[in-house]
Amino acid sequence: MKFSLFGHKKRGVPEPSERAVPRHVAIIMDGNGRWAARRGLPRSAGHAAGAETFRRVATYCKSIGIEYLTVYAFSTENWKRPPEEVDVIMELLEKYLIEAIGKMERDRVKMKFFGDLSALSDKLRALIRETEEISAKFDGVQVNICVNYGGRGEILRAARLWRDSGAPELTDELFGGYMYSAGVPDPDLVIRPGEETRVSNFLLWQSAYSELYFTDTLWPDFTPRELDKAISVYNSRERRYGGVL
Ligand code: IPE
Ligand code: IPE
Ligand code: MG
């Protein structure tokens, strides 16, 4: 898969026509709170800015031909935060979905949600269902939003689903079919902005051979240019999968 530029050529950005675009990019959208604190703003302002960044980056991913974008929006551990902050994040998610549903025929992005959605409000679950249903017909790019998601929880859930299925066989591939990400290829590149160099329970099963890219840029400051840089670094890596080249 090559970059298809759709008028995105900017001065100073290397001509990417000969470079491969990763098929699946995953992002841990971290650093919203610190972005706000450094500006003397409440953390909620950081989450609002982060939601805007997500919108821009998702559009850019579509324009350069990335097939799958998976983002970490809210972890199973994020419930530990003060309830007011959790409420702000959930409200932003609702707002985002209402807008996304309104613009769906224009944006034409398939959207899926990974995580235990049973803990979310009825309203949010209804919006998620509607978003998934309406956008199921689109192809080109699929955006997976991880909400109340944790990698260990996902693996345990898969194990229980397999046990309850009574299926005798279990291989890597069959087990992957019990993940939220069933049918989605593993991420080629996992990006974590926001200064921390850890995976924080994100895509533990799927990232076995993903390339990891960390940047100090806080998520609200993350730009398409920054994504280009991550892709350039990705392209300079040698993926050996345990073999020799
Ligand atoms: C990421 O930003 C958003 C969520 C985890 C929901 P943070 O809120 O973690 O921002 P920092 O890490 O405190 O700066
Ligand atoms: C990871 O960020 C989760 C999301 C970005 C949704 P956290 O801010 O929750 O991770 P830690 O606490 O720094 O590991
Ligand atoms: Mg954080």
Side-chain angles (χ1 to χ4, degrees):
M1 161 68 63
K2 303 280 177 201
F3 262 104
S4 60
L5 273 171
F6 296 122
H8 259 288
K9 200 169 168 188
K10 284 192 196 134
R11 215 195 310 228
V13 176
E15 174 58 64
S17 57
E18 290 310 310
R19 288 199 274 119
V21 172
R23 196 171 172 208
H24 183 175
V25 173
I27 306 181
I28 299 171
M29 304 189 292
D30 191 32
N32 295 349
R34 278 161 290 158
W35 181 91
R38 286 172 199 177
R39 282 168 176 71
L41 298 170
R43 291 178 61 84
S44 57
H47 295 307
E52 286 309 314
T53 301
F54 165 65
R55 217 187 293 270
R56 275 196 302 278
V57 168
T59 307
Y60 185 66
C61 284
K62 183 179 176 179
S63 76
I64 62 174
I66 286 170
E67 288 177 62
Y68 299 92
L69 170 67
T70 301
V71 294
Y72 204 6
F74 191 87
S75 76
T76 46
E77 290 72 47
N78 288 147
W79 296 106
K80 292 177 192 162
R81 296 185 180 204
E84 310 80 60
E85 179 168 346
V86 171
D87 287 349
V88 164
I89 295 168
M90 295 302 162
E91 279 161 22
L92 279 166
L93 203 50
E94 281 180 14
K95 183 168 161 262
Y96 174 79
L97 290 179
I98 291 167
E99 285 168 18
I101 290 166
K103 292 181 190 153
M104 207 152 257
E105 293 299 329
R106 188 198 72 188
D107 293 346
R108 307 186 69 76
V109 169
K110 182 183 290 197
M111 299 205 336
K112 297 264 193 193
F113 289 80
F114 295 173
D116 177 7
L117 307 182
S118 69
L120 308 180
S121 70
D122 289 348
K123 186 175 175 201
L124 193 48
R125 268 186 295 138
L127 285 167
I128 287 174
R129 206 175 314 117
E130 194 181 346
T131 306
E132 287 191 332
E133 276 172 20
I134 308 177
S135 73
K137 60 178 184 282
F138 301 133
D139 48 22
V141 65
Q142 176 173 323
V143 176
N144 307 307
I145 302 181
C146 299
V147 182
N148 194 22
Y149 172 89
R152 286 188 172 183
E154 180 185 36
I155 292 168
L156 288 176
R157 173 180 170 272
R160 291 188 189 106
L161 288 171
W162 174 72
R163 179 197 60 198
D164 296 346
S165 75
E169 293 287 319
L170 193 57
T171 61
D172 257 28
E173 210 177 321
L174 288 170
F175 198 56
Y178 292 102
M179 298 286 160
Y180 295 119
S181 58
V184 174
D186 288 342
D188 299 294
L189 171 62
V190 177
I191 299 174
R192 180 166 191 158
E195 299 172 352
E196 311 295 356
T197 46
R198 54 178 170 253
V199 293
S200 301
N201 208 10
F202 188 46
L203 303 180
L204 298 182
W205 172 264
Q206 299 86 341
S207 64
Y209 273 102
S210 302
E211 295 298 326
L212 307 180
Y213 178 88
F214 298 99
T215 168
D216 285 346
T217 304
L218 302 172
W219 174 247
D221 288 330
F222 194 90
T223 57
R225 178 74 57 103
E226 190 99 35
L227 182 63
D228 285 342
K229 195 172 147 208
I231 293 173
S232 290
V233 170
Y234 167 81
N235 278 304
S236 71
R237 305 258 182 96
E238 201 172 68
R239 300 183 77 183
R240 289 188 290 276
Y241 301 97
V244 283
L245 289 181

